Amino acid sequence: MDALKITGRKTLSGVISVSGSKNATLPIVTAALLSDGTSILRNAPELADVQTLCRVIEHAGAMTSRYDDELRIDGSRVDRPEAPYDWVRRMRASFLVLGPLLARFGHARVSLPGGCAIGARPVDQHLKAFKKMGAAIELDAGYVVASAPQGLQGAEIDFDMPTVGGTENVMLAASLARGTTIIRNAAREPEIADLAKALRSMGAKITGDGMSEIVIEGSSSLAPFDHRVMADRIEAGTYAVAGALVGHDLTVQGFEIASQQALIDVLEALGAQYRLGDGCLTLSKIEHGHPVEVVTGPFPEFPTDMQAQLMALMTQIEGVSSITETIFENRFMHVAELSRLGAEIAINGPVASVFGPRRLSGTAVMATDLRASASLVLAALAAEGETIIRRIYHLDRGYTDLEKKLQAVGACVERVEG
Ligand code: UD1
């Protein structure tokens, strides 16, 4: 199993280009199941999670092929509306095939995702919505068996919380349902707007994406899409934090600044000096920082997917900073590993207090999930000496060419056999 060897305390400078967004790519790939033509996704990141989803839709009968960053998905031979446990347990976003398969075939059998490292993560909101759209839902041996022999019917959906995956699953299904669907308390993440853009290019009639009420008028058939996926705002944010930690004029380029405004505000409050350009952000190491209190929340609040990386930066800031995690109940697993590098962090329920600055020094650590792994990479970049990060298959799920991108701006990072 591969590991990353990082020798810290190198100054990073130059330009890092952001790749296509993982979290936007996944639902858009499932949108290809709504059409019987060949869809084209441009700027598609080559990541383990995207490959996993391709295997899932191939199981259903789709054919996928890739030419560099262009992913083609032929939906003409999709004939098996199911997703087995073996794939869904590897990546819970596979559950997003339920909406499109149910809408296209009137029935689908998709494994429940189960819990994951960062919490229970139920799918009750997805199922409640499909029931409201006329589907009969049964749970059978760990599978969701959904059927709507007359097709799905548009409905008014009121989510209990703004769920990203739930909003996406319903948008996908409603695009091919009869009548109008209204989603209230919808998630407002930029990836939702990117999915809406792809669906609109298929002929779907969607308004309100990016706001908390989305209206979808169902169509009887949809054309394939040709869509360029948005840049990965979490990847961009991760490298921005690297700049604030060990950078000297480190530029992160090719992403929508508005998609990471909450992070930029926090970096500014921490004392970062930065310059904004057209789709790019240039940062240097924070010299005289101030502690901050951050609370994660649904977009446009501070993203839960950035809190682990931010925590690595907080270890280097004078005073007591804190992060309150409100989205997932078990998302502080990186804390034990950051502590092995020399961080001092106290956890009290959903609040992590970070005492800084602490001198970090390299040692062997273990990645536990995707963003936790990114946090360890950042801490290792700031640590004295050599850090070995094991189980980096987590990183390969979500960061395109991480070590190459970091090497190109001066980091001493190498992939070794763990
Ligand atoms: C997506 C992102 C993930 C990010 C998360 C929150 C993808 C592939 N993943 O995950 O990276 O961390 O948004 O921004 O885009 N909930 C329920 N019942 C449901 C659905 C959700 O209780 O049916 C709860 C969850 O447990 C969680 C909250 O709602 O507490 C938000 O979850 P959700 O937005 O659905 O996260 P994901 O779509 O799984």
Side-chain angles (χ1 to χ4, degrees):
M1 214 181 282
D2 285 355
L4 274 190
K5 183 164 97 180
I6 300 182
T7 307
R9 299 267 166 128
K10 309 281 184 232
T11 299
L12 307 191
S13 69
V15 180
I16 298 184
S17 294
V18 180
S19 297
S21 161
K22 168 179 89 72
N23 284 356
T25 295
L26 298 175
I28 295 173
V29 165
T30 73
L33 296 172
L34 292 166
S35 140
D36 62 7
T38 298
S39 293
I40 302 174
L41 189 62
R42 301 175 194 275
N43 200 30
E46 256 191 286
L47 295 168
D49 272 11
V50 178
Q51 280 163 12
T52 301
L53 189 60
C54 285
R55 299 298 88 79
V56 175
I57 62 168
E58 282 166 6
H59 179 91
M63 287 180 291
T64 72
S65 54
R66 188 183 258 283
Y67 310 89
D68 298 323
D69 67 356
E70 187 183 302
L71 182 63
R72 286 177 180 244
I73 305 154
D74 177 356
S76 62
R77 294 199 204 155
V78 176
D79 58 359
R80 185 152 54 151
E82 62 169 46
Y85 174 64
D86 228 26
W87 291 115
V88 184
R89 76 177 166 80
R90 280 184 223 191
M91 189 189 58
R92 50 177 297 111
S94 311
F95 196 69
L96 292 173
V97 300
L98 179 58
L101 290 177
L102 178 59
R104 180 160 164 192
F105 294 95
H107 61 103
R109 188 171 179 271
V110 174
S111 170
L112 280 167
C116 74
I118 61 173
R121 301 184 80 175
V123 287
D124 58 306
Q125 301 295 310
H126 304 229
L127 300 184
K128 197 173 88 175
F130 292 140
K131 275 186 197 158
K132 200 115 196 258
M133 296 175 78
I137 306 272
E138 279 176 35
L139 300 182
D140 173 35
Y143 277 77
V144 173
V145 181
S147 72
Q150 315 304 324
L152 290 173
Q153 175 71 48
E156 297 193 13
I157 312 291
D158 290 274
F159 281 130
D160 296 341
M161 73 286 289
T163 152
V164 176
T167 303
E168 292 166 344
N169 228 341
V170 172
M171 285 166 71
L172 288 155
S175 298
L176 213 51
R178 272 192 323 276
T180 304
T181 298
I182 301 174
I183 308 176
R184 299 205 181 86
N185 202 14
R188 291 186 282 161
E189 270 66 5
E191 292 77 12
I192 302 271
D194 208 35
L195 171 63
K197 206 167 149 191
L199 286 169
R200 275 193 290 267
S201 81
M202 301 174 81
K205 295 172 213 78
I206 304 178
T207 53
D209 47 292
M211 290 181 275
S212 47
E213 185 170 304
I214 301 177
V215 180
I216 305 127
E217 256 180 68
S219 307
S220 54
S221 69
L222 293 169
F225 61 76
D226 183 341
H227 179 77
R228 184 178 169 84
V229 77
M230 65 178 277
D232 196 309
R233 65 193 169 102
I234 304 301
E235 187 198 13
T238 302
Y239 293 127
V241 170
L245 202 53
V246 290
H248 178 76
D249 280 346
L250 181 70
T251 298
V252 185
Q253 78 170 17
F255 70 108
E256 192 73 49
I257 300 291
S259 71
Q260 270 300 14
Q261 195 56 50
L263 173 69
I264 294 170
D265 292 346
V266 168
L267 291 173
E268 186 170 337
L270 282 163
Q273 308 282 324
Y274 66 90
R275 293 194 305 279
L276 288 176
D278 185 17
C280 70
L281 171 64
T282 302
L283 283 137
S284 296
K285 179 179 174 183
I286 296 177
E287 292 296 349
H288 303 287
H290 324 286
V292 293
E293 293 177 3
V294 172
V295 182
T296 65
F299 190 85
E301 294 171 45
F302 190 88
T304 172
D305 281 356
M306 276 305 303
Q307 60 95 340
Q309 301 89 312
L310 181 69
M311 202 178 287
L313 173 60
M314 285 171 161
T315 67
Q316 301 307 295
I317 303 293
E318 171 106 43
V320 187
S321 294
S322 72
I323 295 180
T324 304
E325 170 61 52
T326 70
I327 308 286
F328 296 114
E329 70 270 24
N330 189 22
R331 215 177 189 178
F332 285 142
M333 277 171 322
H334 46 285
V335 167
E337 300 297 307
L338 287 175
S339 303
R340 299 199 65 242
L341 291 167
E344 191 183 339
I345 302 165
I347 300 178
N348 188 358
V351 185
S353 302
V354 187
F355 301 86
R358 291 293 179 272
R359 207 176 178 77
L360 303 181
S361 46
T363 185
V365 289
M366 205 166 70
T368 50
D369 70 52
L370 172 57
R371 306 306 170 186
S373 318
S375 149
L376 294 177
V377 169
L378 293 168
L381 291 172
E384 223 164 53
E386 197 176 281
T387 300
I388 303 284
I389 306 176
R390 301 219 165 91
R391 297 201 181 168
I392 52 155
Y393 56 85
H394 289 294
L395 275 174
D396 296 333
R397 290 186 41 211
Y399 288 88
T400 311
D401 293 334
L402 175 112
E403 69 264 31
K404 283 189 203 138
K405 290 189 185 187
L406 285 173
Q407 280 159 4
V409 293
C412 186
V413 185
E414 161 185 18
R415 194 175 275 254
V416 295
E417 283 204 7

